[in-house]
Amino acid sequence: MNLALWLLVIFVVIVLLLDKIDLYLLFLGATVFLGFIGGLSFADLGKGFLESLFAQRTVAVLLTLYLMSLYEVFLRRSGALARLTHNFIKMLGDYRLTSVVMPAIMGLLPSPGGARFSAPLVAETLENSVVSNQEKAFINFWFRHIWEPILPVYPGTLMAAMLMGITPGHLAQMNWYIPLLMIVVGWVLVFGFSLPSVRFQNPSWKEVILDLGPLLAVIVAGVTIKNDFTVPIAILWLALLYTFCTPSRYPKWEHCLVKP
């Protein structure tokens, strides 16, 4: 298909997005339009829609996003989310720096729907700040992806290295400055030229491990175990732990693990 046509469709989608048209309507319209231009019939489009709707990857992503939303409810109700942000702010001494560091940590281990993990952490950290919802969304997206130019766990990084005929390590050496540049640019766009006031203190490391450890374990499982349903199953397991093993102060995971 003509490249100019693809670019035109992308441009129209962006313009309509700025006009606040629902994203699903835009993609549906663009898909149908490109299908007709490419010679597909109504029957072909319908068949492709049903096949993609019930595909294993589609079901896994939908389950992941739904269970992440459910898990966030458990995090909030158990107090884990508030404790985690409090400990990070105490450890770093600046709520702005905390809001940047947490999505960056999540970005070290990318997984499907990973932004759904870090979004509530950013929102909780900046809850009483003057930062707008749009800026919170920007922080969550931008700082989760600062590692993409150098980390080989991102499929795009591996593909770029392969197309260039070099190793992922060589690509990381070439791009080492990009994450630093992204950190500076992202900080200036949201917080201006005001530097963070870092005052390191000792948080409750036990609470940090108990609250953040299971979250990172889910992401590690999603990266290391190559199965579409690894992340949904791991999140469901965590949700069950929060359901049946949450005392008044914090979830004692070690007690849950040794229960008969």
Side-chain angles (χ1 to χ4, degrees):
M1 190 178 293
N2 194 321
L3 177 60
L5 183 60
W6 277 96
L7 295 176
L8 177 61
V9 171
I10 293 173
F11 175 76
V12 171
V13 168
I14 293 174
V15 170
L16 293 177
L17 272 176
L18 296 176
D19 201 31
K20 299 183 179 180
I21 305 297
D22 287 338
L23 189 61
Y24 75 93
L25 291 176
L26 290 178
F27 278 114
L28 181 61
T31 301
V32 172
F33 175 75
L34 290 173
F36 285 142
I37 295 298
L40 297 178
S41 64
F42 270 116
D44 294 329
L45 288 172
K47 181 181 177 181
F49 173 77
L50 292 176
E51 288 178 351
S52 61
L53 180 63
F54 296 104
Q56 177 176 306
R57 178 64 55 86
T58 303
V59 174
V61 170
L62 291 176
L63 275 175
T64 299
L65 294 176
Y66 173 75
L67 289 172
M68 282 181 182
S69 301
L70 182 64
Y71 182 51
E72 181 194 343
V73 173
F74 285 106
L75 285 175
R76 289 189 180 277
R77 291 185 177 179
S78 67
L81 201 59
R83 279 193 310 273
L84 193 57
T85 54
H86 171 76
N87 280 312
F88 264 91
I89 292 173
K90 183 178 180 181
M91 180 168 49
L92 300 176
D94 190 316
Y95 72 91
R96 299 172 302 169
L97 185 60
T98 302
S99 70
V100 166
V101 167
M102 288 194 289
I105 291 175
M106 298 298 176
L108 288 169
L109 296 167
S111 66
R116 198 66 184 79
F117 276 135
S118 53
L121 298 173
V122 174
E124 182 77 20
T125 305
L126 300 173
E127 184 178 9
N128 298 318
S129 69
V130 296
V131 178
S132 67
N133 290 333
Q134 290 83 356
E135 289 172 327
K136 292 175 186 176
F138 171 79
I139 291 171
N140 184 45
F141 175 83
W142 184 270
F143 289 99
R144 277 192 70 252
H145 294 90
I146 59 175
W147 312 113
E148 193 163 354
I150 61 174
L151 278 188
V153 294
Y154 284 92
T157 307
L158 292 173
M159 185 175 296
M162 180 185 67
L163 292 175
M164 295 173 66
I166 59 178
T167 64
H170 187 193
L171 182 65
Q173 292 175 6
M174 294 170 57
N175 294 340
W176 66 269
Y177 63 93
I178 298 180
L180 298 177
L181 183 62
M182 289 183 67
I183 291 172
V184 173
V185 171
W187 182 275
V188 171
L189 287 175
V190 179
F191 302 115
F193 292 95
S194 173
L195 296 177
S197 55
V198 181
R199 298 184 304 276
F200 292 104
Q201 301 180 53
N202 279 326
S204 173
W205 289 108
K206 182 178 181 180
E207 288 184 353
V208 171
I209 293 172
L210 289 173
D211 293 332
L212 186 62
L215 208 62
L216 292 178
V218 169
I219 301 178
V220 171
V223 173
T224 56
I225 304 176
K226 304 300 182 182
N227 188 291
D228 291 335
F229 291 96
T230 300
V231 172
I233 291 172
I235 299 171
L236 181 60
W237 174 73
L238 289 179
L240 291 174
L241 283 181
Y242 267 103
T243 302
F244 298 108
C245 310
T246 304
S248 58
R249 185 162 182 270
Y250 62 84
K252 294 185 177 180
W253 300 97
E254 67 274 17
H255 292 176
C256 297
L257 295 176
V258 298
K259 277 187 175 182

